[in-house]
Amino acid sequence: MSTAQRLGNDGPEIGASIVLCTHRRPELLAACLDSLAGQRAGFAPGSSREMAHEILVIDNSPLEDGRAVVESRQAAFALRGVPLRYVMEGNPGVSFARNRGVLEAVGALIAFIDDDERACDGWLERLLEPFHRLGDAVDIVAGEVEPDFGALARPDWLADDMMHFFSCRWGWDSEPRFLREAEWFGEGNCAFRKRLMAGRAFPTDLGRKGDGLMTNEGIVFMEMRSAGAATYYVPAAMVSHLIHPDRLNRRWLMRRMFYQGVSNRLTQRRYGLSEQRWDFNVNLAKLADLDVESLEGESLRAMIRLYYQLGYASGSSMG
């Protein structure tokens, strides 16, 4: 056991690593870190010592915007017995950041949270509790995500069934349980055994890069689950996710769905999965003239499906 795996030379072994990926959002990073102060990792059955944890901030900006935020809080976290480390990952893209976080993490358990999220009270303990209680029967734990609209009101057109387009409200159950094969979760609020990443990596040609909207870096979790990894859902392990003001419009949602289609097509091709087929004709001139900001209800849902299909079709000529 190396000294890096302990809190000081005589401290307890670090059992869990919180990996926080950030990119040019120091104010949000500060709020996220503040929400992690006081989080506890819980007790394993039969143990009188609480599991120790660390926090690892992976800064994906070459400007190192997050360094000062981390350094200003390291002493306070150290007083709580929680190492807070800063690492700059120069390769752009959230997949590079996640891979670096996995590489740097000391704990056998890794929990992900993103810089535009805030951990609710008891988040870490609830997220890790199934590992303690159920042991090797659990490989991955997924939590719930609540939207935070900040100072803005939730738009009237944003229906409950559209929340998952914003990576919020999976809503699988009101009680903890194992997820079924078709039920998914977000990378921004989950925990998993580090050993599952052996021979695996988040695909660096997918996932967000800066303001880009490519996605599916979490396909690595699908690989794990296909190989038999059991995933447990804990709705009370909750984070709040800030919905950025510039995303609270229908045009952003259309872009989001277009690139979801592109990402899904590339993912299916990579893994040899069956591809979807649709027959549709689109007058692009009329589509460009359409005022999507006026759409509501079923008309809006139809346009969301159309933009997804357009992105999916476009994916055939990419990658």
Side-chain angles (χ1 to χ4, degrees), residues 106-117:
V106 166
L109 300 175
I110 297 177
F112 275 148
I113 190 170
D114 291 337
D115 62 358
D116 55 0
E117 296 176 329

Side-chain angles (χ1 to χ4, degrees), residues 13-18 39-53 107-111 122-141 178 191-193 195 230 232 234:
E13 180 182 351
I14 294 174
S17 299
I18 300 175
Q39 295 284 336
R40 307 171 72 92
F43 294 83
S47 174
S48 60
R49 173 175 279 183
E50 184 174 1
M51 176 185 287
H53 70 280
L109 300 175
I110 297 177
W123 165 73
L124 183 62
E125 189 167 5
R126 290 167 179 158
L127 194 66
L128 299 184
E129 187 273 341
F131 294 108
H132 301 325
R133 175 168 52 88
L134 301 174
D136 289 340
V138 174
D139 299 295
I140 305 168
V141 177
F178 284 97
F192 55 95
R193 299 188 185 277
R195 59 176 169 76
Y232 201 77
V234 182

Side-chain angles (χ1 to χ4, degrees), residues 258 261-262 265-266 269 308-319:
F258 178 88
V262 172
R265 182 68 174 268
L266 294 177
R269 182 186 303 157
Y308 174 85
Q309 293 167 351
L310 287 171
Y312 190 90
S314 297
S316 63
S317 61
M318 299 182 183

